[in-house]
Amino acid sequence: MSLSDRWRKHLDELRSQGRLRTLRTANGVDFSSNDYLGYGTLRLTAAAELSRSGAASRLLRGQHPVWDEVEAALAQWQRAEAALVFSSGYLANLGLLRTVIRPGDWVASDARNHASIIDGLRLAKGQRFVYRSLGGLDQALDRARRRGLPGRELFIVTESLFSMDGVPAPLESLVDLARRHKAHLIVDEAHATGCSGKRGRGLVGAGHFTGDVLATVHTGGKALGVPGAFVCGSAVLRDYLVNRCRQFIYTTALPPAVGAWWLDAIERVIGDDEGRERLHANAGLFREALAERGVRAPGESYIVPIVLGDDARAVAAAARLQAAGFDIRAIRPPTVPDGTARLRVSIHADHDDATLRRAAAAVAEVAS
Ligand SMILES: Cc1ncc(COP(=O)(O)O)c(C=O)c1O
């Protein structure tokens, strides 16, 4: 069978399971993107003079001074020793995990973690353990520590706000477990960066855990509205990544203009307490309007999952919402566990009250 035939066969199987995805142009009021603070639609003029290609890896000609400025600003914002920009959050997770975790090490990953973490851990080749409870994690850490060969390092990897569930990770307990078992904690802040904590630092900063984590991963493409991502950690971690991280080394630098966007975004997000307040207030309003109609959604955040269970039901519900002018998408397995297909509503700071109420009414209608 040719490669094309193999791919076609797989696509046919997905189609018959109702799991075939197609690219769809955005339409209707945005309730699906991660542009939480509404920055994605702003114009950035400072970028114009820097608009040239990234041209090469940052280890070659791709290193533009703007990145030093950006990384210094990111480290200062996050109160970290150092920061390193990656081309995307997917690459940041792959690169960080693959570089830091060596074969022979042991790593625990929350069952709800994003695909980029799962793929990073596959590349890393450490011994993996997927945890579903803190009790299970505690026992597994204990076993791993007692059975460990000399030199084996233990890691825990989690998102700080789970992207498909809208609930926060139990960071305080994870910090405590990591401390007790001498494990390293890595936190992906993709959906919290800009939206939570003082100056929008995220949930690690909000909990005052910055000194307790090995590294945090932050994406630009969500609340910050800029391409790329960054990793925060110690200066030596940064140097190690610059020297050993294939996902940083073997790829073209982002264009310097993107660096100017970053500087603009960092300044804006630090000062945007009002946006964060609106975002959280809007999430509260939407959730309350759903609850009034008898619809329960887990969590309290601006990511509002309405679990419908069946794939086809979720797809049909999303189609009805889209036809009514709300761009709300169905999330199906394997992104979420089997039997938990859902509508994922992404609340933004720039949604107005009336639109939120209309959207909640429409969601309640299709969910009942
Ligand atoms: C938790 C999490 N980490 C990482 C990523 C990847 O980020 P990016 O879109 O910048 O590749 C995503 C994107 O959806 C995410 O939700």
Side-chain angles (χ1 to χ4, degrees):
M1 188 191 291
S2 76
L3 204 50
S4 303
D5 287 343
R6 202 162 79 193
W7 292 337
R8 254 181 232 116
K9 185 164 171 278
H10 188 71
L11 292 174
D12 285 344
E13 281 166 12
L14 287 178
R15 189 177 291 113
S16 68
Q17 292 164 359
R19 290 186 180 174
L20 186 74
R21 271 79 164 172
T22 52
L23 295 174
R24 311 238 334 253
T25 307
N27 201 9
V29 181
D30 180 2
F31 277 94
S32 66
S33 84
N34 298 304
D35 181 23
Y36 297 122
L37 295 172
Y39 294 170
T41 50
L42 296 180
R43 285 222 173 74
L44 299 160
T45 49
E49 74 204 46
L50 295 166
S51 55
R52 64 168 180 78
S53 161
S57 163
R58 282 188 55 195
L59 261 74
L60 300 170
R61 224 181 135 83
Q63 175 64 5
H64 186 281
V66 73
W67 295 117
D68 293 331
E69 223 183 310
V70 169
E71 286 165 355
L74 290 172
Q76 194 184 20
W77 173 35
Q78 289 294 327
R79 294 190 162 156
E81 220 173 271
L84 186 67
V85 169
F86 282 74
S87 303
S88 74
Y90 185 84
L91 285 178
N93 271 330
L94 249 58
L96 174 70
L97 298 171
R98 146 84 177 53
T99 308
V100 161
I101 300 167
R102 291 170 316 176
D105 289 341
W106 183 94
V107 54
S109 174
D110 192 297
R112 296 162 290 184
N113 278 344
H114 187 255
S116 56
I117 297 176
I118 296 169
D119 291 356
L121 295 180
R122 283 181 184 149
L123 273 183
K125 299 200 183 86
Q127 191 186 337
R128 269 173 284 153
F129 175 81
V130 175
Y131 63 91
R132 290 183 166 73
S133 72
L134 286 170
L137 173 61
D138 192 8
Q139 284 171 11
L141 279 161
D142 198 41
R143 278 196 305 273
R145 172 58 62 206
R146 280 190 281 112
R147 288 187 198 154
L149 301 170
R152 168 188 256 191
E153 301 287 346
L154 309 186
F155 297 86
I156 303 169
V157 188
T158 186
E159 290 179 42
S160 61
L161 180 66
F162 292 102
S163 61
M164 295 300 146
D165 298 81
V167 297
L171 284 181
E172 193 172 346
S173 304
L174 292 174
V175 164
D176 180 54
L177 282 178
R179 205 178 277 151
R180 279 203 284 120
H181 294 284
K182 296 191 173 51
H184 308 286
L185 184 57
I186 296 175
V187 183
D188 179 339
E189 289 261 54
H191 292 271
T193 307
C195 300
S196 297
K198 203 168 171 200
R199 297 177 163 232
R201 286 191 186 103
L203 290 168
V204 169
H208 306 286
F209 302 129
T210 308
D212 298 300
V213 301
L214 181 74
T216 51
V217 176
H218 309 258
T219 54
K222 305 192 190 308
L224 299 183
V226 290
F230 62 101
V231 171
C232 281
S234 66
V236 66
L237 171 66
R238 183 180 185 278
D239 288 348
Y240 189 61
L241 290 172
V242 167
N243 282 276
R244 297 304 305 268
C245 180
R246 298 168 74 82
Q247 287 72 11
F248 175 80
I249 299 167
Y250 299 108
T251 190
T252 301
L254 289 168
V258 173
W261 292 14
W262 271 92
L263 291 175
D264 192 85
I266 296 163
E267 195 184 320
R268 181 179 308 109
V269 79
I270 286 174
D272 196 10
D273 286 339
E274 199 188 316
R276 278 181 281 282
E277 272 162 33
R278 265 203 321 273
L279 172 63
H280 292 275
N282 282 355
L285 190 155
F286 182 78
R287 283 172 173 277
E288 232 174 81
L290 278 185
E292 277 164 15
R293 291 172 168 80
V295 178
R296 282 182 41 78
E300 295 176 356
S301 75
Y302 36 88
I303 297 169
V304 187
I306 293 101
V307 178
L308 298 178
D310 180 62
D311 289 13
R313 190 173 165 221
V315 171
R320 281 176 63 193
L321 290 166
Q322 288 156 19
F326 300 108
D327 186 0
I328 293 172
R329 311 268 173 135
I331 308 290
R332 287 167 284 170
T335 309
V336 292
D338 277 325
T340 70
R342 65 198 64 183
L343 298 170
R344 177 184 184 272
V345 183
S346 172
I347 300 298
H348 297 183
D350 58 356
H351 287 143
D352 64 63
D353 291 6
T355 306
L356 288 165
R357 287 206 179 87
R358 279 195 298 112
V363 168
E365 172 84 28
V366 300
S368 58

